[in-house]
Amino acid sequence: MSYIVADQLGKSFGAGAAAVHAVSGLNFRIAPGEFVAIMGESGAGKSTLLGMLGAMNAPTTGRLHVDGIDVYALNPDRLADFRREYLGFVFQSFHLIPYLSVIENVMLPLAVSRQGSPEKRRRAQEALAEVGLGGKAGRLPGEISGGEKERVAVARAIVNEPPVLLADEPTGNLDSGNSREIMRMFQRLNASGMTVIMVTHSAECSGYAGRVMRLSDGRLKTDRRTAVSALRRAS
Amino acid sequence: MTLKLISIRNLMRRKGKAAFILAGLVVGVATVVGIFTFVEATTHDIAHKLEQYGANILIVPKTENLSLSYGGLSLGGVSFDLEEIRESELARLATIPNHRNIAAVGPIVLGVASVESRRMLLAGVDFKAAEILKPWWRVGGRFPQDDEVLLGAEAARALGLETGQGLSVNGRNLVVSGRIELTGSQDDQLAFLTLATAQQLFAKSGKISMVEVAALCKDCPIEDMVRQIAAVLPGAKVMAIQQVVKSRMEALAQFQKFSYGISAVVLFIGGLVVLVTMMGSVRERTEEIGIFRAVGFRRSHIMQVVFLEAGIISALAGVFGYGLGWASAAAALALSGDGHSGPVAFAPALALGAVVLALVLGLVATVYPAQMASRLDPNEALRAL
């Protein structure tokens, strides 16, 4: 069963002869519970693809279906609801709100839900415990380390328990120890049934994924499962 | 975690910007409140003074023959030979519905007499009423008592009399009690006596020639007063001195228009301050808005956050603006030294109006920045970093 279906997905900037095709003709399917690493050189179209998968960057050609929903046929409000219900984002530069505490940052996706404050707080504390930051709920982002910020970003991404986690270079600003910690966290989430799609430059990080899609000049060059992956997953 | 909490936290973080918007709105609201309070107090004060500044209603016997020019105004007819108004009838003025608006009633007995071999016009007046009806009089000496006379400046000069000297009027010896400084009016030509002395001299006991009335008509149409007086004095002709009334009202209206015009300009500038600052704030928060959108905030949620911030600042500005405006008006009234007495009272309706005004101004000025924020493309917002 395919959960995410990309059908001739493409994105161009400009028009006519001057048009730049960031991504073109992408066809792939991702099953529920897969851990996919998207790799490629700079400018290969990785982030553009992630933006399209994240319902934030409308394609100029093709369609994207998630759980049977034609994502870009949704109106702006439903598209926002879709992001909140289906997707969790982890950004390379964390993108935490500096004036909100750690737990308030984690609760951010719940701010527009109808749950009561105690329920929101309980879920945020659970997410923080999941990433090992239960004791730093009251700190501000400026008072914690880079690795901890990344974990807060992960907690914020999973607090809504979305079926899909999207991560853009999640270890780009971290040392190797913190990078491994984040990757193991992703593996745990993936093992619990969450679909994880991660853009990365790191071959080591891609080894944690069960599937590696490699882009070049906006096109899908390779799409395969790796033996290394199996070893890392086993460990 | 709620949208309100996000707004409050953002305001706390960007205290400088919040204070700038607050200041812009406070100045606007305080100006309106200050001017409104000042204008209201001053209008009341001016109206009170203007109403006291001479008569604005004239009561004369009904006549079809002669005209009387008084103070440069054509006031209708009066004849010394016609049936005159009885002094006792004036008590009826206290029975009209708007009797509380009557500031002073000044009966006058007019007559021509032989003074030191000259024919001149004499007026018997009630000098207590004259203090209100003729506030421009500057008297050298004092108001006369019985058998005394107060001379107009020209009359004193023509007769060559000084205070304390005696004169003969229709064979009766009177003493000059004082002299009115030059007024530029008909009063300069006259000699003034007490009402009783004049009635004796002209054999008009209990009768009067005309009545001047000062009506406090800020809150009542002068025409109503005229109708009410005419109803209780059917034998008299009652007229409003329209020029006086109109000029009083026009002066007040001009003052109010000017003041409210200034208020509108200051409010407009206050609105621009909010607009420009909120737009700057939205631009600074591109990343933040991108994150909100990425985690599933709808456009309306983004607008709510921005409007909540503007609403909180605006409500505070309404409260502070009222306080500052009230204090400014009180200080201005105290400094103006125009005789306005007593403290400026707290006006709940005006306070509520100030808060509503601040909210309307702040929220209207925030419409465009809020729309701008809500339309930010999340992908562009996050990629622009």
Side-chain angles (χ1 to χ4, degrees):
Chain A
M1 183 181 72
S2 299
Y3 191 67
I4 299 172
V5 179
D7 179 16
Q8 289 297 318
L9 213 53
K11 179 78 178 181
S12 301
F13 299 99
V20 175
H21 303 286
V23 168
S24 54
L26 293 182
N27 291 296
F28 58 82
R29 291 164 180 265
I30 297 173
E34 277 198 86
F35 188 166
V36 180
I38 301 172
M39 299 190 72
E41 301 298 319
S42 292
K46 306 185 295 297
S47 292
T48 302
L49 174 58
L50 198 72
M52 288 196 285
L53 292 173
M56 291 200 297
N57 193 6
T60 46
T61 61
R63 288 187 172 199
L64 174 74
H65 285 84
V66 176
D67 196 19
I69 299 167
D70 186 350
V71 174
Y72 288 100
L74 298 172
N75 67 36
D77 281 349
R78 287 298 304 141
L79 202 60
D81 295 344
F82 171 81
R83 280 196 292 270
R84 190 169 65 250
E85 291 164 17
Y86 280 83
L87 308 174
F89 281 95
V90 178
F91 303 99
Q92 179 181 0
S93 48
F94 322 128
H95 288 331
L96 301 179
I97 307 292
Y99 54 84
L100 297 180
S101 67
V102 163
I103 195 164
E104 286 166 348
N105 266 286
V106 175
M107 285 196 285
L108 200 58
L110 305 174
V112 293
S113 78
R114 291 200 174 93
Q115 296 162 10
S117 286
E119 174 64 9
K120 290 177 185 177
R121 189 162 286 274
R122 185 190 63 76
R123 291 181 66 169
Q125 278 168 339
E126 278 182 9
L128 278 174
E130 177 79 25
V131 299
L133 283 178
K136 297 194 174 179
R139 301 267 184 94
L140 288 171
E143 298 168 348
I144 57 177
S145 68
E148 288 171 331
K149 285 178 187 168
E150 190 68 10
R151 284 194 272 166
V152 174
V154 173
R156 182 179 65 190
I158 64 174
V159 72
N160 251 352
E161 298 175 2
V164 180
L165 180 69
L166 301 172
D168 188 6
E169 301 279 7
T171 60
N173 289 333
L174 302 179
D175 58 35
S176 57
N178 276 311
S179 295
R180 277 194 292 277
E181 192 60 38
I182 293 295
M183 285 301 104
R184 286 186 195 120
M185 203 178 292
F186 281 11
Q187 275 193 329
R188 282 201 300 275
L189 293 168
N190 179 233
S192 69
M194 189 177 280
T195 303
V196 178
I197 303 172
M198 171 182 71
V199 165
T200 182
H201 274 110
S202 163
E204 186 184 350
C205 289
S206 69
Y208 288 86
R211 177 179 172 187
V212 176
M213 295 168 64
R214 192 173 291 277
L215 295 182
S216 179
D217 293 332
R219 292 182 179 279
L220 188 58
K221 287 294 179 187
T222 60
D223 184 356
R224 60 190 172 84
R225 288 181 171 74
T226 64
V228 179
S229 152
L231 284 174
R232 289 265 162 89
R233 286 167 76 85
S235 68
Chain B
M1 167 58 62
T2 57
L3 299 180
K4 190 167 72 180
L5 180 72
I6 294 171
S7 299
I8 292 170
R9 289 285 162 80
N10 180 55
L11 289 177
M12 296 299 288
R13 179 203 180 198
R14 295 178 161 90
K15 290 191 183 76
K17 276 209 161 43
F20 190 66
I21 296 173
L22 185 68
L25 282 174
V26 164
V27 168
V29 173
T31 304
V32 173
V33 170
I35 285 178
F36 190 86
T37 305
F38 184 82
V39 165
E40 278 299 299
T42 308
T43 299
H44 186 267
D45 201 36
I46 289 173
H48 185 65
K49 285 176 181 168
L50 283 175
E51 299 299 354
Q52 288 186 324
Y53 199 71
N56 52 12
I57 295 175
L58 200 66
I59 304 170
V60 297
K62 279 185 177 168
T63 179
E64 295 174 357
N65 301 323
L66 302 173
S67 67
L68 174 68
S69 176
Y70 187 85
L73 303 174
S74 179
L75 302 173
V78 63
S79 167
F80 309 128
D81 300 324
L82 291 177
E83 185 181 344
E84 288 162 294
I85 302 164
R86 301 199 66 80
E87 192 178 355
S88 57
E89 291 174 343
L90 296 184
R92 295 180 201 164
L93 293 179
T95 65
I96 67 167
N98 283 106
H99 68 275
R100 289 182 191 283
N101 297 82
I102 296 176
V105 176
I108 300 173
V109 174
L110 293 170
V112 177
S114 176
V115 181
E116 299 293 312
S117 73
R118 289 169 186 264
R119 300 276 291 170
M120 67 178 290
L121 190 59
L122 272 68
V125 299
D126 177 340
F127 286 98
K128 274 194 174 174
E131 286 182 29
I132 295 173
L133 293 163
K134 316 265 187 193
W136 54 87
W137 275 7
R138 296 286 174 268
V139 177
R142 59 175 169 76
F143 282 139
Q145 295 174 346
D146 288 342
D147 293 325
E148 291 183 334
V149 64
L150 177 68
L151 296 174
E154 279 300 310
R157 187 191 60 77
L159 294 169
L161 291 170
E162 296 293 335
T163 302
Q165 291 183 306
L167 74 163
S168 171
V169 178
N170 281 0
R172 182 170 174 173
N173 291 324
L174 304 177
V175 176
V176 178
S177 69
R179 177 174 178 265
I180 303 169
E181 289 178 17
L182 199 64
T183 64
S185 72
Q186 194 171 342
D187 293 347
D188 296 340
Q189 314 287 330
L190 268 60
F192 295 92
L193 316 159
T194 62
L195 205 57
T197 304
Q199 285 170 333
Q200 288 166 13
L201 272 174
F202 301 125
K204 292 180 178 178
S205 179
K207 293 179 182 176
I208 48 180
S209 308
M210 58 189 289
V211 185
E212 291 178 327
V213 177
L216 304 170
C217 279
K218 178 173 175 284
D219 301 318
C220 70
I222 191 80
E223 290 77 11
D224 284 1
M225 297 279 291
V226 167
R227 267 195 299 276
Q228 290 168 15
I229 293 171
V232 297
L233 297 175
K237 185 174 181 180
V238 186
M239 295 167 292
I241 304 177
Q242 294 292 346
Q243 293 93 326
V244 175
V245 176
K246 283 180 181 169
S247 65
R248 288 173 189 181
M249 294 309 159
E250 280 171 12
L252 290 177
Q254 288 292 330
F255 183 52
Q256 285 177 328
K257 276 184 193 171
F258 175 70
S259 302
Y260 296 148
I262 290 176
S263 300
V265 171
V266 175
L267 272 184
F268 179 71
I269 293 169
L272 279 181
V273 168
V274 176
L275 174 72
V276 172
T277 313
M278 289 302 279
M279 282 180 67
S281 176
V282 165
R283 287 201 181 96
E284 274 181 15
R285 296 165 69 189
T286 301
E287 172 190 359
E288 202 177 300
I289 293 163
I291 296 165
F292 291 156
R293 298 282 283 143
V295 301
F297 281 32
R298 290 181 172 191
R299 286 178 176 176
S300 57
H301 295 138
I302 303 294
M303 290 183 79
Q304 277 183 55
V305 171
V306 179
F307 275 128
L308 273 167
E309 289 172 15
I312 291 167
I313 296 177
S314 301
L316 286 173
V319 174
F320 292 145
Y322 175 78
L324 183 63
W326 179 85
S328 304
L333 286 166
L335 288 172
S336 65
D338 63 352
H340 184 90
S341 57
V344 180
F346 171 72
L350 184 58
L352 182 67
V355 174
V356 171
L357 176 69
L359 279 171
V360 169
L361 182 66
L363 294 179
V364 166
T366 305
V367 168
Y368 181 69
Q371 284 181 336
M372 195 172 83
S374 73
R375 286 175 186 157
L376 275 176
D377 183 277
N379 193 55
E380 291 296 320
L382 294 172
R383 200 167 59 179
L385 302 170

